């Protein structure tokens, strides 16, 4: 998230620079912000580091073109922008780099439950049980929570007001989705047996 206060020493307009150098400096600022940020950065936050009225979209377009052929790229996910390594280099990174616990390490059944939550959210454990025909363990829910893929939603209007579960921004980032609208076609997943019939949700 953006800082709540402006940096007093940040010269946004860069009026002393020629136009071409000014534009390149704004590009580099955006690149630096994306490099340093742990989460996707919305355009309105990127606009804080460039001149007033300057098109962040055009700066991003030029930055994307500038990084063509490099090992990393700018991508839009979860309603914001990130700087990431290209998927083609995933095997090389896993071979030689210390990536900590970034690997989701999800079991096939975990992914099926995560998909059900994504398509039916907000959803309770009892509603997940209705979909899968068996109890969904607290350990499984805990694994998805621990990886930041799901969070607690509003209390269900059902008796006892049980907790519901929803996907998170980290879910969108992990699966390279700009929004829930970009989820794969639900009927295809049903045909594959990944998700079943259950309560409906409108993605708006």
């Amino acid at each position: 998230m953006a800082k709540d206060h402006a940096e007093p020493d940040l010269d946004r307009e860069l009026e002393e620079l020629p136009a071409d150098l000014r534009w390149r400096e704004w590009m580099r600022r955006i690149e630096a912000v994306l490099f340093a940020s742990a989460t996707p950065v919305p355009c309105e936050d990127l606009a804080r580091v460039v001149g007033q009225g300057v098109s962040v979209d055009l700066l991003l377009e030029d930055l994307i073109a500038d990084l063509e052929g490099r090992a990393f790229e700018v991508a839009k996910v979860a309603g914001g922008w990130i700087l990431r390594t290209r998927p083609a280099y995933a095997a090389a990174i896993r071979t030689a780099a210390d990536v900590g616990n970034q690997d989701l390490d999800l079991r096939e059944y975990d992914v099926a439950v995560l998909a059900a939550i994504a398509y039916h959210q907000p959803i309770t454990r009892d509603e997940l049980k209705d979909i899968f025909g068996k109890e969904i363990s607290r350990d499984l829910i805990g694994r998805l929570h621990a990886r930041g893929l799901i969070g607690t939603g509003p209390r269900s209007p059902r008796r006892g007001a049980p907790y519901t579960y929803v996907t998170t921004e980290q879910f969108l980032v992990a699966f390279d989705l700009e929004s829930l609208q970009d989820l794969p076609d639900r009927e295809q997943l049903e045909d594959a047996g990944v998700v079943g019939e259950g309560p409906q949700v409108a993605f708006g």
Side-chain angles (χ1 to χ4, degrees):
M1 295 181 61
K3 296 167 69 173
D4 292 333
H5 60 279
E7 284 285 344
D9 297 331
L10 180 64
D11 177 7
R12 294 177 55 188
E13 303 303 328
L14 302 175
E15 293 178 349
E16 77 286 356
L17 293 179
D20 57 337
L21 294 182
R22 184 162 59 237
W23 188 262
R24 181 155 291 275
E25 174 62 18
W26 286 331
M27 282 174 53
R28 293 300 167 232
R29 286 183 178 184
I30 287 178
E31 182 180 4
V33 170
L34 298 182
F35 179 81
S37 179
T39 58
V41 184
C43 278
E44 55 265 31
D45 290 349
L46 294 174
R48 296 168 182 251
V49 299
V50 302
Q52 186 173 4
V54 173
S55 173
V56 172
D57 288 335
L58 290 178
L59 285 166
L60 284 165
E61 285 182 15
D62 284 355
L63 180 57
I64 289 169
D66 193 52
L67 295 176
E68 190 68 35
R70 304 289 296 275
F72 43 90
E73 64 183 354
V74 173
K76 190 173 187 182
V77 294
W81 294 88
I82 61 172
L83 189 65
R84 66 182 182 188
T85 52
R86 296 183 188 274
Y89 297 99
I93 292 169
R94 287 194 299 268
T95 299
D98 179 6
V99 294
N101 60 356
Q102 293 180 37
D103 187 355
L104 293 178
D105 190 27
L106 295 176
R107 305 167 189 173
E108 184 177 349
Y109 191 60
D110 294 358
V111 174
V113 172
L114 182 58
I117 293 172
Y119 284 95
H120 297 298
Q121 62 186 302
I123 187 170
T124 65
R125 282 180 66 219
D126 281 345
E127 289 169 333
L128 287 169
K129 178 181 177 182
D130 292 341
I131 291 175
F132 290 94
K134 63 179 182 179
E135 194 80 27
I136 304 301
S137 73
R138 294 185 185 277
D139 285 346
L140 191 160
I141 295 295
R143 283 197 298 276
L144 298 179
H145 255 299
R147 287 159 178 76
L149 299 172
I150 65 170
T152 303
R155 293 274 192 161
S156 170
R158 287 187 173 191
R159 183 176 180 181
Y163 286 107
T164 63
Y165 300 102
V166 296
T167 55
T168 62
E169 181 183 90
Q170 179 57 34
F171 166 80
L172 296 177
V173 172
F175 291 94
D176 196 20
L177 302 172
E178 185 175 341
S179 72
L180 292 175
Q181 299 280 12
D182 298 318
L183 284 166
D185 183 80
R186 190 173 179 279
E187 291 183 0
Q188 292 178 0
L189 293 185
E190 285 180 353
D191 291 341
V194 176
V195 295
E197 295 298 331
Q200 301 296 309
V201 62
F203 299 140

